[in-house]
PDB file of all heavy atoms in Angstrom:
ATOM      1  N   VAL A   7       2.796  -0.054   7.123  1.00 95.00           N
ATOM      2  CA  VAL A   7       1.998   1.136   6.796  1.00 95.00           C
ATOM      3  C   VAL A   7       0.545   0.987   7.238  1.00 95.00           C
ATOM      4  O   VAL A   7      -0.324   1.755   6.826  1.00 95.00           O
ATOM      5  CB  VAL A   7       2.077   1.468   5.292  1.00 95.00           C
ATOM      6  CG1 VAL A   7       3.502   1.810   4.896  1.00 95.00           C
ATOM      7  CG2 VAL A   7       1.518   0.335   4.437  1.00 95.00           C
ATOM      8  N   ALA A   8       0.300  -0.008   8.082  1.00 93.00           N
ATOM      9  CA  ALA A   8      -1.011  -0.204   8.717  1.00 93.00           C
ATOM     10  C   ALA A   8      -2.123  -0.523   7.731  1.00 93.00           C
ATOM     11  O   ALA A   8      -3.270  -0.120   7.919  1.00 93.00           O
ATOM     12  CB  ALA A   8      -1.384   1.020   9.559  1.00 93.00           C
ATOM     13  N   LEU A   9      -1.788  -1.250   6.654  1.00 94.00           N
ATOM     14  CA  LEU A   9      -2.826  -1.731   5.751  1.00 94.00           C
ATOM     15  C   LEU A   9      -3.437  -2.988   6.366  1.00 94.00           C
ATOM     16  O   LEU A   9      -2.715  -3.941   6.668  1.00 94.00           O
ATOM     17  CB  LEU A   9      -2.228  -2.044   4.380  1.00 94.00           C
ATOM     18  CG  LEU A   9      -3.187  -2.146   3.200  1.00 94.00           C
ATOM     19  CD1 LEU A   9      -3.813  -0.783   2.908  1.00 94.00           C
ATOM     20  CD2 LEU A   9      -2.472  -2.656   1.967  1.00 94.00           C
ATOM     21  N   PRO A  10      -4.745  -3.026   6.574  1.00 93.00           N
ATOM     22  CA  PRO A  10      -5.353  -4.196   7.223  1.00 93.00           C
ATOM     23  C   PRO A  10      -5.229  -5.445   6.350  1.00 93.00           C
ATOM     24  O   PRO A  10      -5.288  -5.357   5.116  1.00 93.00           O
ATOM     25  CB  PRO A  10      -6.819  -3.781   7.401  1.00 93.00           C
ATOM     26  CG  PRO A  10      -7.048  -2.720   6.377  1.00 93.00           C
ATOM     27  CD  PRO A  10      -5.749  -2.002   6.230  1.00 93.00           C
ATOM     28  N   GLU A  11      -5.033  -6.573   6.994  1.00 94.00           N
ATOM     29  CA  GLU A  11      -4.900  -7.855   6.308  1.00 94.00           C
ATOM     30  C   GLU A  11      -3.918  -7.767   5.141  1.00 94.00           C
ATOM     31  O   GLU A  11      -4.276  -7.937   3.973  1.00 94.00           O
ATOM     32  CB  GLU A  11      -6.263  -8.335   5.790  1.00 94.00           C
ATOM     33  CG  GLU A  11      -7.302  -8.530   6.881  1.00 94.00           C
ATOM     34  CD  GLU A  11      -8.613  -9.051   6.304  1.00 94.00           C
ATOM     35  OE1 GLU A  11      -8.686 -10.270   6.038  1.00 94.00           O
ATOM     36  OE2 GLU A  11      -9.524  -8.221   6.104  1.00 94.00           O
ATOM     37  N   PRO A  12      -2.657  -7.494   5.434  1.00 95.00           N
ATOM     38  CA  PRO A  12      -1.687  -7.235   4.356  1.00 95.00           C
ATOM     39  C   PRO A  12      -1.536  -8.383   3.365  1.00 95.00           C
ATOM     40  O   PRO A  12      -1.344  -8.129   2.165  1.00 95.00           O
ATOM     41  CB  PRO A  12      -0.385  -6.963   5.113  1.00 95.00           C
ATOM     42  CG  PRO A  12      -0.611  -7.445   6.503  1.00 95.00           C
ATOM     43  CD  PRO A  12      -2.055  -7.337   6.764  1.00 95.00           C
ATOM     44  N   ALA A  13      -1.623  -9.634   3.829  1.00 94.00           N
ATOM     45  CA  ALA A  13      -1.472 -10.760   2.902  1.00 94.00           C
ATOM     46  C   ALA A  13      -2.597 -10.764   1.871  1.00 94.00           C
ATOM     47  O   ALA A  13      -2.364 -11.029   0.679  1.00 94.00           O
ATOM     48  CB  ALA A  13      -1.448 -12.073   3.680  1.00 94.00           C
ATOM     49  N   ARG A  14      -3.813 -10.449   2.303  1.00 95.00           N
ATOM     50  CA  ARG A  14      -4.944 -10.415   1.376  1.00 95.00           C
ATOM     51  C   ARG A  14      -4.866  -9.199   0.465  1.00 95.00           C
ATOM     52  O   ARG A  14      -5.117  -9.291  -0.737  1.00 95.00           O
ATOM     53  CB  ARG A  14      -6.254 -10.419   2.153  1.00 95.00           C
ATOM     54  CG  ARG A  14      -7.495 -10.451   1.249  1.00 95.00           C
ATOM     55  CD  ARG A  14      -8.765 -10.642   2.055  1.00 95.00           C
ATOM     56  NE  ARG A  14      -9.080  -9.481   2.863  1.00 95.00           N
ATOM     57  CZ  ARG A  14      -9.757  -8.428   2.403  1.00 95.00           C
ATOM     58  NH1 ARG A  14     -10.168  -8.386   1.140  1.00 95.00           N
ATOM     59  NH2 ARG A  14     -10.014  -7.410   3.199  1.00 95.00           N
ATOM     60  N   GLN A  15      -4.486  -8.033   1.026  1.00 95.00           N
ATOM     61  CA  GLN A  15      -4.426  -6.810   0.224  1.00 95.00           C
ATOM     62  C   GLN A  15      -3.327  -6.884  -0.830  1.00 95.00           C
ATOM     63  O   GLN A  15      -3.434  -6.252  -1.889  1.00 95.00           O
ATOM     64  CB  GLN A  15      -4.207  -5.594   1.121  1.00 95.00           C
ATOM     65  CG  GLN A  15      -5.230  -5.401   2.222  1.00 95.00           C
ATOM     66  CD  GLN A  15      -6.638  -5.178   1.702  1.00 95.00           C
ATOM     67  OE1 GLN A  15      -6.856  -5.063   0.503  1.00 95.00           O
ATOM     68  NE2 GLN A  15      -7.607  -5.133   2.606  1.00 95.00           N
ATOM     69  N   ALA A  16      -2.287  -7.667  -0.573  1.00 96.00           N
ATOM     70  CA  ALA A  16      -1.210  -7.805  -1.555  1.00 96.00           C
ATOM     71  C   ALA A  16      -1.721  -8.435  -2.848  1.00 96.00           C
ATOM     72  O   ALA A  16      -1.157  -8.204  -3.923  1.00 96.00           O
ATOM     73  CB  ALA A  16      -0.068  -8.637  -0.976  1.00 96.00           C
ATOM     74  N   ARG A  17      -2.797  -9.207  -2.748  1.00 96.00           N
ATOM     75  CA  ARG A  17      -3.361  -9.855  -3.935  1.00 96.00           C
ATOM     76  C   ARG A  17      -4.420  -8.991  -4.629  1.00 96.00           C
ATOM     77  O   ARG A  17      -4.951  -9.369  -5.678  1.00 96.00           O
ATOM     78  CB  ARG A  17      -3.978 -11.207  -3.546  1.00 96.00           C
ATOM     79  CG  ARG A  17      -2.967 -12.203  -2.980  1.00 96.00           C
ATOM     80  CD  ARG A  17      -3.565 -13.583  -2.848  1.00 96.00           C
ATOM     81  NE  ARG A  17      -4.649 -13.618  -1.867  1.00 96.00           N
ATOM     82  CZ  ARG A  17      -4.481 -13.807  -0.563  1.00 96.00           C
ATOM     83  NH1 ARG A  17      -3.250 -13.987  -0.071  1.00 96.00           N
ATOM     84  NH2 ARG A  17      -5.512 -13.841   0.253  1.00 96.00           N
ATOM     85  N   ALA A  18      -4.735  -7.840  -4.064  1.00 96.00           N
ATOM     86  CA  ALA A  18      -5.777  -6.973  -4.619  1.00 96.00           C
ATOM     87  C   ALA A  18      -5.230  -6.122  -5.758  1.00 96.00           C
ATOM     88  O   ALA A  18      -4.017  -5.895  -5.879  1.00 96.00           O
ATOM     89  CB  ALA A  18      -6.344  -6.080  -3.519  1.00 96.00           C
ATOM     90  N   TYR A  19      -6.144  -5.622  -6.592  1.00 96.00           N
ATOM     91  CA  TYR A  19      -5.812  -4.643  -7.623  1.00 96.00           C
ATOM     92  C   TYR A  19      -6.122  -3.240  -7.087  1.00 96.00           C
ATOM     93  O   TYR A  19      -6.959  -3.086  -6.184  1.00 96.00           O
ATOM     94  CB  TYR A  19      -6.613  -4.912  -8.893  1.00 96.00           C
ATOM     95  CG  TYR A  19      -6.185  -6.165  -9.620  1.00 96.00           C
ATOM     96  CD1 TYR A  19      -6.853  -7.372  -9.411  1.00 96.00           C
ATOM     97  CD2 TYR A  19      -5.104  -6.142 -10.494  1.00 96.00           C
ATOM     98  CE1 TYR A  19      -6.458  -8.531 -10.065  1.00 96.00           C
ATOM     99  CE2 TYR A  19      -4.697  -7.296 -11.164  1.00 96.00           C
ATOM    100  CZ  TYR A  19      -5.381  -8.486 -10.938  1.00 96.00           C
ATOM    101  OH  TYR A  19      -4.970  -9.628 -11.583  1.00 96.00           O
ATOM    102  N   PRO A  20      -5.455  -2.205  -7.606  1.00 94.00           N
ATOM    103  CA  PRO A  20      -5.664  -0.852  -7.067  1.00 94.00           C
ATOM    104  C   PRO A  20      -7.128  -0.420  -7.008  1.00 94.00           C
ATOM    105  O   PRO A  20      -7.547   0.233  -6.045  1.00 94.00           O
ATOM    106  CB  PRO A  20      -4.856   0.025  -8.023  1.00 94.00           C
ATOM    107  CG  PRO A  20      -3.742  -0.851  -8.482  1.00 94.00           C
ATOM    108  CD  PRO A  20      -4.364  -2.221  -8.609  1.00 94.00           C
ATOM    109  N   HIS A  21      -7.951  -0.799  -8.010  1.00 94.00           N
ATOM    110  CA  HIS A  21      -9.335  -0.342  -8.006  1.00 94.00           C
ATOM    111  C   HIS A  21     -10.160  -0.962  -6.876  1.00 94.00           C
ATOM    112  O   HIS A  21     -11.264  -0.515  -6.587  1.00 94.00           O
ATOM    113  CB  HIS A  21     -10.005  -0.640  -9.359  1.00 94.00           C
ATOM    114  CG  HIS A  21     -10.301  -2.097  -9.585  1.00 94.00           C
ATOM    115  ND1 HIS A  21      -9.395  -2.955 -10.189  1.00 94.00           N
ATOM    116  CD2 HIS A  21     -11.394  -2.849  -9.288  1.00 94.00           C
ATOM    117  CE1 HIS A  21      -9.923  -4.162 -10.257  1.00 94.00           C
ATOM    118  NE2 HIS A  21     -11.135  -4.129  -9.721  1.00 94.00           N
ATOM    119  N   GLU A  22      -9.617  -1.990  -6.233  1.00 95.00           N
ATOM    120  CA  GLU A  22     -10.325  -2.642  -5.131  1.00 95.00           C
ATOM    121  C   GLU A  22     -10.019  -1.981  -3.785  1.00 95.00           C
ATOM    122  O   GLU A  22     -10.584  -2.379  -2.765  1.00 95.00           O
ATOM    123  CB  GLU A  22      -9.948  -4.129  -5.072  1.00 95.00           C
ATOM    124  CG  GLU A  22     -10.343  -4.901  -6.318  1.00 95.00           C
ATOM    125  CD  GLU A  22      -9.894  -6.346  -6.285  1.00 95.00           C
ATOM    126  OE1 GLU A  22      -8.674  -6.591  -6.260  1.00 95.00           O
ATOM    127  OE2 GLU A  22     -10.768  -7.235  -6.284  1.00 95.00           O
ATOM    128  N   LEU A  23      -9.147  -0.987  -3.788  1.00 94.00           N
ATOM    129  CA  LEU A  23      -8.745  -0.316  -2.556  1.00 94.00           C
ATOM    130  C   LEU A  23      -9.311   1.091  -2.490  1.00 94.00           C
ATOM    131  O   LEU A  23      -9.539   1.735  -3.516  1.00 94.00           O
ATOM    132  CB  LEU A  23      -7.219  -0.258  -2.459  1.00 94.00           C
ATOM    133  CG  LEU A  23      -6.450  -1.573  -2.566  1.00 94.00           C
ATOM    134  CD1 LEU A  23      -4.961  -1.320  -2.396  1.00 94.00           C
ATOM    135  CD2 LEU A  23      -6.941  -2.588  -1.536  1.00 94.00           C
ATOM    136  N   SER A  24      -9.496   1.582  -1.272  1.00 92.00           N
ATOM    137  CA  SER A  24      -9.932   2.966  -1.070  1.00 92.00           C
ATOM    138  C   SER A  24      -8.749   3.913  -1.279  1.00 92.00           C
ATOM    139  O   SER A  24      -7.581   3.478  -1.368  1.00 92.00           O
ATOM    140  CB  SER A  24     -10.481   3.144   0.343  1.00 92.00           C
ATOM    141  OG  SER A  24      -9.422   3.015   1.293  1.00 92.00           O
ATOM    142  N   GLY A  25      -9.051   5.231  -1.327  1.00 90.00           N
ATOM    143  CA  GLY A  25      -7.986   6.209  -1.504  1.00 90.00           C
ATOM    144  C   GLY A  25      -6.948   6.157  -0.398  1.00 90.00           C
ATOM    145  O   GLY A  25      -5.742   6.238  -0.656  1.00 90.00           O
ATOM    146  N   GLY A  26      -7.400   6.017   0.846  1.00 92.00           N
ATOM    147  CA  GLY A  26      -6.464   5.941   1.960  1.00 92.00           C
ATOM    148  C   GLY A  26      -5.594   4.700   1.901  1.00 92.00           C
ATOM    149  O   GLY A  26      -4.399   4.738   2.222  1.00 92.00           O
ATOM    150  N   MET A  27      -6.173   3.576   1.457  1.00 94.00           N
ATOM    151  CA  MET A  27      -5.404   2.333   1.341  1.00 94.00           C
ATOM    152  C   MET A  27      -4.369   2.438   0.227  1.00 94.00           C
ATOM    153  O   MET A  27      -3.228   1.968   0.376  1.00 94.00           O
ATOM    154  CB  MET A  27      -6.357   1.166   1.098  1.00 94.00           C
ATOM    155  CG  MET A  27      -7.290   0.879   2.284  1.00 94.00           C
ATOM    156  SD  MET A  27      -8.630  -0.246   1.862  1.00 94.00           S
ATOM    157  CE  MET A  27      -7.774  -1.816   1.899  1.00 94.00           C
ATOM    158  N   ILE A  28      -4.745   3.081  -0.884  1.00 94.00           N
ATOM    159  CA  ILE A  28      -3.788   3.273  -1.983  1.00 94.00           C
ATOM    160  C   ILE A  28      -2.622   4.137  -1.518  1.00 94.00           C
ATOM    161  O   ILE A  28      -1.463   3.867  -1.845  1.00 94.00           O
ATOM    162  CB  ILE A  28      -4.493   3.906  -3.195  1.00 94.00           C
ATOM    163  CG1 ILE A  28      -5.441   2.895  -3.843  1.00 94.00           C
ATOM    164  CG2 ILE A  28      -3.480   4.406  -4.219  1.00 94.00           C
ATOM    165  CD1 ILE A  28      -6.263   3.459  -4.968  1.00 94.00           C
ATOM    166  N   GLN A  29      -2.930   5.165  -0.730  1.00 93.00           N
ATOM    167  CA  GLN A  29      -1.861   6.017  -0.226  1.00 93.00           C
ATOM    168  C   GLN A  29      -0.907   5.225   0.666  1.00 93.00           C
ATOM    169  O   GLN A  29       0.314   5.444   0.640  1.00 93.00           O
ATOM    170  CB  GLN A  29      -2.446   7.216   0.528  1.00 93.00           C
ATOM    171  CG  GLN A  29      -1.459   8.322   0.824  1.00 93.00           C
ATOM    172  CD  GLN A  29      -0.891   8.947  -0.427  1.00 93.00           C
ATOM    173  OE1 GLN A  29      -0.006   8.386  -1.067  1.00 93.00           O
ATOM    174  NE2 GLN A  29      -1.391  10.124  -0.783  1.00 93.00           N
ATOM    175  N   ARG A  30      -1.431   4.292   1.437  1.00 94.00           N
ATOM    176  CA  ARG A  30      -0.575   3.438   2.271  1.00 94.00           C
ATOM    177  C   ARG A  30       0.304   2.538   1.406  1.00 94.00           C
ATOM    178  O   ARG A  30       1.477   2.291   1.734  1.00 94.00           O
ATOM    179  CB  ARG A  30      -1.435   2.617   3.223  1.00 94.00           C
ATOM    180  CG  ARG A  30      -2.148   3.452   4.270  1.00 94.00           C
ATOM    181  CD  ARG A  30      -3.155   2.622   5.076  1.00 94.00           C
ATOM    182  NE  ARG A  30      -4.014   3.489   5.855  1.00 94.00           N
ATOM    183  CZ  ARG A  30      -3.746   3.908   7.092  1.00 94.00           C
ATOM    184  NH1 ARG A  30      -2.625   3.516   7.687  1.00 94.00           N
ATOM    185  NH2 ARG A  30      -4.572   4.697   7.751  1.00 94.00           N
ATOM    186  N   VAL A  31      -0.241   2.048   0.300  1.00 95.00           N
ATOM    187  CA  VAL A  31       0.559   1.238  -0.622  1.00 95.00           C
ATOM    188  C   VAL A  31       1.701   2.073  -1.194  1.00 95.00           C
ATOM    189  O   VAL A  31       2.846   1.611  -1.285  1.00 95.00           O
ATOM    190  CB  VAL A  31      -0.319   0.674  -1.749  1.00 95.00           C
ATOM    191  CG1 VAL A  31       0.544  -0.015  -2.813  1.00 95.00           C
ATOM    192  CG2 VAL A  31      -1.342  -0.312  -1.190  1.00 95.00           C
ATOM    193  N   MET A  32       1.402   3.308  -1.569  1.00 94.00           N
ATOM    194  CA  MET A  32       2.444   4.183  -2.109  1.00 94.00           C
ATOM    195  C   MET A  32       3.547   4.418  -1.078  1.00 94.00           C
ATOM    196  O   MET A  32       4.733   4.471  -1.426  1.00 94.00           O
ATOM    197  CB  MET A  32       1.840   5.514  -2.544  1.00 94.00           C
ATOM    198  CG  MET A  32       0.909   5.422  -3.743  1.00 94.00           C
ATOM    199  SD  MET A  32       1.719   4.778  -5.226  1.00 94.00           S
ATOM    200  CE  MET A  32       3.000   5.996  -5.481  1.00 94.00           C
ATOM    201  N   LEU A  33       3.158   4.566   0.179  1.00 95.00           N
ATOM    202  CA  LEU A  33       4.164   4.728   1.233  1.00 95.00           C
ATOM    203  C   LEU A  33       5.006   3.462   1.374  1.00 95.00           C
ATOM    204  O   LEU A  33       6.226   3.535   1.570  1.00 95.00           O
ATOM    205  CB  LEU A  33       3.482   5.063   2.560  1.00 95.00           C
ATOM    206  CG  LEU A  33       3.018   6.509   2.724  1.00 95.00           C
ATOM    207  CD1 LEU A  33       2.097   6.649   3.928  1.00 95.00           C
ATOM    208  CD2 LEU A  33       4.213   7.441   2.877  1.00 95.00           C
ATOM    209  N   ALA A  34       4.363   2.286   1.270  1.00 95.00           N
ATOM    210  CA  ALA A  34       5.114   1.034   1.367  1.00 95.00           C
ATOM    211  C   ALA A  34       6.140   0.930   0.246  1.00 95.00           C
ATOM    212  O   ALA A  34       7.283   0.507   0.463  1.00 95.00           O
ATOM    213  CB  ALA A  34       4.147  -0.152   1.319  1.00 95.00           C
ATOM    214  N   ILE A  35       5.750   1.336  -0.977  1.00 94.00           N
ATOM    215  CA  ILE A  35       6.686   1.301  -2.112  1.00 94.00           C
ATOM    216  C   ILE A  35       7.835   2.272  -1.871  1.00 94.00           C
ATOM    217  O   ILE A  35       9.007   1.949  -2.086  1.00 94.00           O
ATOM    218  CB  ILE A  35       5.942   1.636  -3.415  1.00 94.00           C
ATOM    219  CG1 ILE A  35       4.939   0.536  -3.765  1.00 94.00           C
ATOM    220  CG2 ILE A  35       6.935   1.837  -4.566  1.00 94.00           C
ATOM    221  CD1 ILE A  35       4.022   0.879  -4.923  1.00 94.00           C
ATOM    222  N   ALA A  36       7.511   3.479  -1.399  1.00 94.00           N
ATOM    223  CA  ALA A  36       8.545   4.495  -1.170  1.00 94.00           C
ATOM    224  C   ALA A  36       9.530   4.076  -0.094  1.00 94.00           C
ATOM    225  O   ALA A  36      10.704   4.437  -0.141  1.00 94.00           O
ATOM    226  CB  ALA A  36       7.885   5.824  -0.795  1.00 94.00           C
ATOM    227  N   LEU A  37       9.061   3.291   0.881  1.00 93.00           N
ATOM    228  CA  LEU A  37       9.906   2.909   2.015  1.00 93.00           C
ATOM    229  C   LEU A  37      10.530   1.528   1.853  1.00 93.00           C
ATOM    230  O   LEU A  37      11.240   1.074   2.746  1.00 93.00           O
ATOM    231  CB  LEU A  37       9.076   2.935   3.307  1.00 93.00           C
ATOM    232  CG  LEU A  37       8.500   4.294   3.702  1.00 93.00           C
ATOM    233  CD1 LEU A  37       7.573   4.149   4.907  1.00 93.00           C
ATOM    234  CD2 LEU A  37       9.608   5.284   4.016  1.00 93.00           C
ATOM    235  N   ALA A  38      10.293   0.874   0.721  1.00 92.00           N
ATOM    236  CA  ALA A  38      10.716  -0.517   0.545  1.00 92.00           C
ATOM    237  C   ALA A  38      12.207  -0.718   0.778  1.00 92.00           C
ATOM    238  O   ALA A  38      12.628  -1.762   1.278  1.00 92.00           O
ATOM    239  CB  ALA A  38      10.329  -0.996  -0.856  1.00 92.00           C
ATOM    240  N   CYS A  39      13.002   0.263   0.412  1.00 90.00           N
ATOM    241  CA  CYS A  39      14.462   0.108   0.518  1.00 90.00           C
ATOM    242  C   CYS A  39      15.068   1.009   1.580  1.00 90.00           C
ATOM    243  O   CYS A  39      16.252   1.360   1.517  1.00 90.00           O
ATOM    244  CB  CYS A  39      15.106   0.360  -0.836  1.00 90.00           C
ATOM    245  SG  CYS A  39      14.524  -0.796  -2.099  1.00 90.00           S
ATOM    246  N   ALA A  40      14.245   1.407   2.569  1.00 90.00           N
ATOM    247  CA  ALA A  40      14.702   2.228   3.698  1.00 90.00           C
ATOM    248  C   ALA A  40      15.467   3.459   3.235  1.00 90.00           C
ATOM    249  O   ALA A  40      16.652   3.633   3.543  1.00 90.00           O
ATOM    250  CB  ALA A  40      15.562   1.398   4.656  1.00 90.00           C
ATOM    251  N   PRO A  41      14.832   4.358   2.472  1.00 94.00           N
ATOM    252  CA  PRO A  41      15.539   5.548   1.965  1.00 94.00           C
ATOM    253  C   PRO A  41      15.887   6.514   3.088  1.00 94.00           C
ATOM    254  O   PRO A  41      15.295   6.473   4.172  1.00 94.00           O
ATOM    255  CB  PRO A  41      14.514   6.169   1.011  1.00 94.00           C
ATOM    256  CG  PRO A  41      13.191   5.765   1.587  1.00 94.00           C
ATOM    257  CD  PRO A  41      13.406   4.375   2.118  1.00 94.00           C
ATOM    258  N   ALA A  42      16.830   7.398   2.798  1.00 95.00           N
ATOM    259  CA  ALA A  42      17.189   8.441   3.763  1.00 95.00           C
ATOM    260  C   ALA A  42      16.253   9.636   3.635  1.00 95.00           C
ATOM    261  O   ALA A  42      15.984  10.338   4.610  1.00 95.00           O
ATOM    262  CB  ALA A  42      18.631   8.884   3.539  1.00 95.00           C
ATOM    263  N   LEU A  43      15.756   9.883   2.412  1.00 97.00           N
ATOM    264  CA  LEU A  43      14.907  11.041   2.135  1.00 97.00           C
ATOM    265  C   LEU A  43      13.606  10.571   1.514  1.00 97.00           C
ATOM    266  O   LEU A  43      13.611   9.755   0.578  1.00 97.00           O
ATOM    267  CB  LEU A  43      15.624  12.004   1.181  1.00 97.00           C
ATOM    268  CG  LEU A  43      14.810  13.176   0.618  1.00 97.00           C
ATOM    269  CD1 LEU A  43      14.341  14.110   1.732  1.00 97.00           C
ATOM    270  CD2 LEU A  43      15.628  13.943  -0.426  1.00 97.00           C
ATOM    271  N   LEU A  44      12.498  11.088   2.015  1.00 96.00           N
ATOM    272  CA  LEU A  44      11.181  10.809   1.439  1.00 96.00           C
ATOM    273  C   LEU A  44      10.606  12.107   0.907  1.00 96.00           C
ATOM    274  O   LEU A  44      10.479  13.092   1.637  1.00 96.00           O
ATOM    275  CB  LEU A  44      10.241  10.228   2.500  1.00 96.00           C
ATOM    276  CG  LEU A  44       8.798   9.978   2.049  1.00 96.00           C
ATOM    277  CD1 LEU A  44       8.752   8.876   0.992  1.00 96.00           C
ATOM    278  CD2 LEU A  44       7.905   9.624   3.230  1.00 96.00           C
ATOM    279  N   VAL A  45      10.279  12.127  -0.383  1.00 96.00           N
ATOM    280  CA  VAL A  45       9.600  13.268  -1.004  1.00 96.00           C
ATOM    281  C   VAL A  45       8.116  12.918  -1.063  1.00 96.00           C
ATOM    282  O   VAL A  45       7.730  11.984  -1.774  1.00 96.00           O
ATOM    283  CB  VAL A  45      10.145  13.561  -2.412  1.00 96.00           C
ATOM    284  CG1 VAL A  45       9.425  14.754  -3.028  1.00 96.00           C
ATOM    285  CG2 VAL A  45      11.647  13.814  -2.360  1.00 96.00           C
TER     286      VAL A  45
END
């Protein structure tokens, strides 16, 4: 999901990320299991 430095960001808390970065995290969670449908 193009989050910069993913290994470092994985250790971050949500308040340490910008709005765009949080949205990328949400996309990563939604796509974790390769769903057929994304809402």
Side-chain angles (χ1 to χ4, degrees):
V7 297
L9 198 67
E11 300 182 79
R14 183 172 69 85
Q15 304 298 354
R17 298 190 295 274
Y19 290 96
H21 72 270
E22 298 177 296
L23 305 182
S24 68
M27 294 168 78
I28 289 175
Q29 193 62 282
R30 293 172 192 271
V31 172
M32 292 300 300
L33 282 167
I35 293 172
L37 298 174
C39 300
L43 171 63
L44 176 66
V45 180

